[in-house]
Amino acid sequence: MADKRHHVTLYSLNQDQEWEELGTGHISSTYVERLQGVFLLVQSDSHGSLILESKINSNTPYQKQQETLIVWSEAENHGMALSFQDTEGCRQIWEDICRVQGKDPSVEITQDLLEESEDEQLDDILETNTVLVLPNCELSKLEEISDLITSVLLSPIHKERLALILENEAYIKNLLQLFRACEDLGDIANLHYLYEIIKGILFLNKTGLFEILFSADCIMDVVGCLEYDPALAQPKRHREFLTQNARFKEIVPITDCELMQKIHQTYKVQYIYDILLPIPSVFEENLLSALTAFIFLNKVEIVSMLQEDDNFLPEVFAQLRDETIDDDKRRELLFFFKEFCDFSQTLHPPRKDELFKTLTELGVLPVLKVVMSMEDVQIRSAATDIFTYLVEYSPSMIREFIVEEAQQSEDGNLFINLVIEQMICDNDPELGGAVHLMGLLRVLLDPENMLTTSNKCERSEFLNFFYKHCIHIFIAPLFAATAEPQLLSLILELLTFCVEHHTYYIKNYILSKDLLRRVLILMNSKHTFLILCALRFMRRMIDLKDELYNSYIIKGNLFEPVVSAFLDNGTRYNMLNSAVIELFEYIRVENIKSLVAHIVENFYETLESIEYVQTFKGLKIKYEEEKDRQSQIRKNLHSVTYSKIFHRSARVLEKKEERCLKENSEEREAYNPKNTNDDPGRKVFTIGRSVR
């Protein structure tokens, strides 16, 4: 087993047939004693834990592609891939896999994943002994070739053999020569056969075949063959579109011929995958996994080559900053840069970190600020898409720029306020742009992705900034009489999020600006969804069980518009009815005493007649129970107090009596000295007389 650990990136094929990166790390193939088997283990670079622990099973088919990629399926419709940084690492792991499965490392696929019955195994033995021979590549044989390739797709063993034959011979190029001859002759029948043949070769799902089919000499003929779908009355003109309508615009000169060829190839292959090939059914999702991997790796290679060019990106940004260029040129630059950012999602995290650091140093955010304020809708849309990539990659990087900009800005024209204004001023009737920008604001305002270090707290710094410089612009439509209801609902949705996650900052703003009162004006709206948004905002405040909020609601009598909307709704059983009852039921169940008392004392007479739920009677019961409890507490307190006062008074009287008795005793002693027999001649005085 391989002792040396090689650096890899781990990918998983998702439901949309796109490769998602699961992380990077170092791979080893190790015998795990507790699990009794050899496992592929990938230890994460970032946190050191295992991101892959996959047993090398004897019946799992592994496939090696392009010398640096190993692909396999963990389970049905669950493709996995390992992308190696070096070919040596891929070779060593491949040898370990083949050793466990008893295969020759020279093969590119170990076996087919089939749990076969005895009859199926017998069929495989017969297939193995059957020699696969392709007919001669001639016009008269095209029907026979089409039938053969179609039948081969049902047999994994024959698929492998056919792929090897096609890779090692010039058969595909000869087929494409026949295609050109058939087009010249207008031979529609044979063109239909060629469509089936080329489609079948693509569904063999072999990277080696893709290298031939998508070479510069062959790819346009492949597109041509796929135009002649027998299901269509007339062939589609895809080649015409690719050569005339979809021309590559070289906005910044690219001198690398290999890079140019790779860009053209990737665009055309993506077009074939998206437009020309039939959408696979649920049972065919993995039939083109190698094709998706081919496109994916091409994109990685393109971005890497552009990133390594020291002059390319600086030149793009220099032109974007140039105020003299026209809108057409700027639009093309942004479209290119948007696609570049899209391709960059395929990079390994270290390379992606390096790329976005470079973009930041080149001033991508100041450039976006300028172009997002332009009138051209396409320019603004492309700039917003680029901004989205940056926010998704690193919200902290965006927040840092925003705060630093505010510290340096003299005119108060801030980037984040520009984003908010773009959202508020969206002219789309469906507010697609506003919804998108609201999602980005939510990411920026989410404390869960804010960093805390020993030197600074990003949460405190950014939220202080936002509630000082931005919140008033964000909520301005709430105070405007002409604001669109859909826009108000978006604003309330984000404000509700803020109540839940920015407890201290938003609370100060709500209390100081009496914001809830303004929101509850929307309870009079004719739009039920807007009433529900306002109610949800209040519900979230009550959910916090904060007595400052409760006191604010009570003093402002802010349940009044809620009760009025509830009564105006009448006996209709709808979402408004359910939402209001749920609000009062929550207060009852949680027994929020101050709110229970306020509701019963001010609204019970109005709500008493509602008997189809027991909520309001339950509130009354809670209220009476609390009154009884308080009354009993007062009685007990009075009894205890009276007892204490009585005992204390008795003790005082006793002390006074003792003190008086003591004083009387002392007086008697003073006026009645003791009569002693020691001095018989001493006079003893009594009242009125003396006694000798």
Side-chain angles (χ1 to χ4, degrees):
M1 300 299 104
D3 294 324
K4 181 181 177 182
R5 295 192 171 193
H6 298 275
H7 197 271
V8 296
T9 303
L10 178 64
Y11 297 95
S12 175
L13 193 66
N14 64 21
Q15 294 180 349
D16 298 325
Q17 292 301 290
E18 294 178 352
W19 288 100
E20 290 183 349
E21 184 175 316
L22 301 182
T24 60
H26 289 82
I27 187 170
S28 62
S29 55
T30 307
Y31 181 79
V32 180
E33 187 171 354
R34 63 183 174 84
L35 299 174
Q36 298 294 304
V38 178
F39 280 73
L40 296 176
L41 306 177
V42 178
Q43 189 172 19
S44 173
D45 286 336
S46 57
H47 46 78
S49 61
L50 287 177
I51 58 175
L52 176 69
E53 186 178 40
S54 175
K55 185 177 182 180
I56 304 175
N57 292 309
S58 59
N59 60 347
T60 298
Y62 292 83
Q63 185 175 12
K64 186 173 70 168
Q65 301 176 7
Q66 298 183 359
E67 301 300 325
T68 57
L69 191 70
I70 296 177
V71 181
W72 75 99
S73 292
E74 286 284 298
E76 186 176 357
N77 296 329
H78 185 200
M80 304 292 292
L82 290 167
S83 177
F84 291 77
Q85 280 193 346
D86 57 276
T87 57
E88 177 61 21
C90 183
R91 184 189 63 77
Q92 288 188 14
I93 295 298
W94 182 251
E95 287 179 355
D96 289 343
I97 292 170
C98 292
R99 190 177 298 114
V100 171
Q101 294 195 337
K103 303 293 181 181
D104 185 351
S106 63
V107 300
E108 288 190 350
I109 185 168
T110 57
Q111 58 190 289
D112 298 292
L113 182 56
L114 287 173
E115 294 181 359
E116 301 170 315
S117 64
E118 291 183 3
D119 291 341
E120 289 172 327
Q121 291 175 4
L122 179 59
D123 290 341
D124 282 350
I125 293 171
L126 294 174
E127 287 181 359
T128 303
N129 294 328
T130 302
V131 177
L132 185 65
V133 179
L134 274 171
N136 293 331
C137 196
E138 301 171 358
L139 284 176
S140 59
K141 300 289 187 180
L142 286 178
E143 182 179 3
E144 188 179 344
I145 297 170
S146 174
D147 292 340
L148 175 64
I149 291 179
T150 303
S151 65
V152 158
L153 294 176
L154 302 175
S155 167
I157 293 176
H158 283 167
K159 280 175 63 177
E160 289 297 324
R161 289 187 173 180
L162 178 60
L164 288 173
I165 294 171
L166 293 173
E167 284 179 24
N168 296 329
E169 298 180 9
Y171 204 87
I172 291 176
K173 292 185 178 181
N174 292 334
L175 284 171
L176 296 177
Q177 287 178 1
L178 289 181
F179 163 73
R180 291 190 288 273
C182 288
E183 263 205 324
D184 292 340
L185 296 170
D187 188 347
I188 299 299
N190 277 327
L191 287 170
H192 286 168
Y193 291 137
L194 282 163
Y195 168 87
E196 297 292 348
I197 291 168
I198 295 300
K199 187 183 75 170
I201 293 174
L202 287 169
F203 274 97
L204 291 175
N205 200 33
K206 298 298 176 185
T207 304
L209 296 179
F210 296 151
E211 296 287 354
I212 300 170
L213 290 167
F214 302 146
S215 64
D217 296 336
C218 297
I219 190 166
M220 290 307 291
D221 287 334
V222 169
V223 173
C225 290
L226 295 174
E227 290 178 354
Y228 290 92
D229 185 349
L232 301 175
Q234 293 293 328
K236 298 290 185 179
R237 298 181 176 180
H238 296 293
R239 285 171 293 174
E240 182 179 323
F241 173 81
L242 289 173
T243 54
Q244 297 181 18
N245 300 80
R247 290 180 178 176
F248 178 71
K249 296 179 180 179
E250 193 175 349
I251 54 166
V252 175
I254 297 176
T255 57
D256 189 333
C257 296
E258 182 184 354
L259 173 58
M260 281 291 294
Q261 185 178 350
K262 187 69 67 175
I263 291 171
H264 288 302
Q265 181 193 57
T266 304
Y267 178 80
K268 291 170 184 174
V269 175
Q270 188 75 60
Y271 185 87
I272 290 171
Y273 180 77
D274 292 336
I275 306 299
L276 298 181
L277 290 178
I279 299 172
S281 70
V282 123
F283 305 103
E284 299 173 330
E285 288 182 348
N286 285 334
L287 287 183
L288 292 172
S289 58
L291 181 54
T292 59
F294 183 91
I295 296 170
F296 175 84
L297 292 172
N298 264 20
K299 291 180 178 180
V300 171
E301 194 171 349
I302 289 169
V303 175
S304 299
M305 293 171 77
L306 289 173
Q307 190 177 355
E308 290 166 2
D309 189 329
D310 295 333
N311 300 319
F312 184 80
L313 288 176
E315 178 62 25
V316 171
F317 280 92
Q319 292 193 31
L320 282 171
R321 283 191 294 267
D322 187 353
E323 297 179 0
T324 62
I325 67 171
D326 57 35
D327 285 352
D328 290 338
K329 178 68 171 178
R330 182 176 281 107
R331 190 183 303 112
E332 290 173 3
L333 283 164
L334 283 170
F335 285 168
F336 166 79
F337 190 58
K338 171 189 169 183
E339 192 165 5
F340 176 78
C341 288
D342 181 38
F343 279 24
S344 71
Q345 304 307 301
T346 62
L347 289 175
H348 298 171
R351 295 297 299 274
K352 189 186 290 187
D353 292 343
E354 182 183 340
L355 172 62
F356 280 94
K357 182 180 178 182
T358 302
L359 296 180
T360 305
E361 292 171 352
L362 290 171
V364 61
L365 290 170
V367 167
L368 288 179
K369 180 181 176 182
V370 172
V371 295
M372 284 183 73
S373 62
M374 293 183 171
E375 295 297 325
D376 189 290
V377 175
Q378 289 184 316
I379 288 177
R380 287 208 313 266
S381 176
T384 301
D385 289 338
I386 295 167
F387 181 60
T388 301
Y389 287 122
L390 297 174
V391 171
E392 290 174 348
Y393 168 70
S394 176
S396 293
M397 178 183 75
I398 306 298
R399 286 190 286 260
E400 183 179 2
F401 168 79
I402 290 170
V403 173
E404 289 179 356
E405 181 195 34
Q407 295 169 352
Q408 299 168 5
S409 176
E410 297 179 357
D411 57 4
N413 183 21
L414 303 178
F415 183 31
I416 189 171
N417 286 343
L418 173 64
V419 173
I420 293 172
E421 288 166 3
Q422 292 278 340
M423 179 201 76
I424 293 172
C425 300
D426 186 12
N427 294 322
D428 181 2
E430 296 182 356
L431 295 181
V435 171
H436 182 68
L437 290 172
M438 185 69 72
L440 298 180
L441 281 175
R442 183 168 181 150
V443 173
L444 292 174
L445 291 169
D446 189 353
E448 294 296 323
N449 61 50
M450 294 182 182
L451 305 176
T452 301
T453 64
S454 57
N455 297 326
K456 74 171 186 176
C457 176
E458 188 180 15
R459 174 191 171 108
S460 173
E461 183 181 39
F462 185 74
L463 293 183
N464 272 322
F465 158 80
F466 180 79
Y467 284 97
K468 181 178 179 181
H469 297 283
C470 310
I471 187 71
H472 62 285
I473 297 175
F474 177 70
I475 66 169
L478 287 173
F479 297 88
T482 58
E484 288 291 328
Q486 290 84 357
L487 176 62
L488 294 177
S489 70
L490 288 176
I491 293 171
L492 285 175
E493 182 181 342
L494 190 56
L495 281 176
T496 304
F497 173 84
C498 293
V499 166
E500 185 176 358
H501 293 89
H502 304 165
T503 50
Y504 168 75
Y505 303 93
I506 189 70
K507 179 165 63 178
N508 288 343
Y509 197 84
I510 290 172
L511 299 180
S512 63
K513 303 297 182 183
D514 198 11
L515 184 59
L516 179 58
R517 184 181 303 280
R518 183 65 200 181
V519 169
L520 290 177
I521 291 175
L522 299 176
M523 297 296 293
N524 298 318
S525 172
K526 64 180 181 180
H527 302 285
T528 303
F529 74 89
L530 199 53
I531 297 174
L532 292 171
C533 287
L535 194 61
R536 194 178 302 118
F537 178 71
M538 184 179 186
R539 172 68 170 80
R540 187 64 64 224
M541 290 172 59
I542 292 172
D543 190 45
L544 296 176
K545 302 178 186 176
D546 188 319
E547 279 305 314
L548 280 176
Y549 276 145
N550 295 344
S551 176
Y552 163 65
I553 291 170
I554 291 168
K555 288 179 180 178
N557 194 29
L558 297 179
F559 273 108
E560 192 277 331
V562 176
V563 173
S564 296
F566 179 65
L567 294 175
D568 290 343
N569 187 61
T571 58
R572 291 190 293 272
Y573 182 66
N574 52 21
M575 291 184 69
L576 173 57
N577 176 277
S578 299
V580 174
I581 290 175
E582 191 279 333
L583 172 64
F584 287 118
E585 181 67 13
Y586 175 79
I587 294 169
R588 183 194 70 80
V589 171
E590 297 298 323
N591 197 18
I592 305 175
K593 296 180 177 60
S594 57
L595 296 183
V596 170
H598 173 71
I599 293 166
V600 173
E601 291 170 0
N602 292 274
F603 303 105
Y604 184 69
E605 290 183 3
T606 306
L607 301 170
E608 184 180 9
S609 61
I610 297 173
E611 297 182 343
Y612 57 86
V613 291
Q614 298 301 307
T615 298
F616 302 108
K617 287 186 177 180
L619 285 169
K620 178 70 170 176
I621 292 170
K622 291 283 186 183
Y623 174 73
E624 296 295 344
E625 288 175 351
E626 182 62 18
K627 278 185 66 176
D628 292 343
R629 194 176 72 86
Q630 293 295 333
S631 176
Q632 187 63 41
I633 288 173
R634 284 193 294 272
K635 286 180 181 179
N636 293 340
L637 183 61
H638 176 74
S639 174
V640 170
T641 303
Y642 176 80
S643 176
K644 287 183 178 180
I645 292 173
F646 175 79
H647 288 299
R648 185 172 61 189
S649 300
R651 286 196 300 272
V652 169
L653 288 172
E654 288 175 359
K655 288 181 180 180
K656 283 184 177 180
E657 288 178 359
E658 290 176 0
R659 191 164 56 250
C660 290
L661 290 171
K662 185 176 180 181
E663 289 175 355
N664 290 339
S665 175
E666 290 175 351
E667 289 176 358
R668 283 196 300 272
E669 288 179 358
Y671 288 103
N672 298 307
K674 292 182 179 180
N675 186 14
T676 62
N677 296 323
D678 296 338
D679 189 4
R682 184 180 179 183
K683 293 181 179 180
V684 178
F685 294 92
T686 60
I687 297 174
R689 60 194 179 120
S690 63
V691 180
R692 176 70 68 181

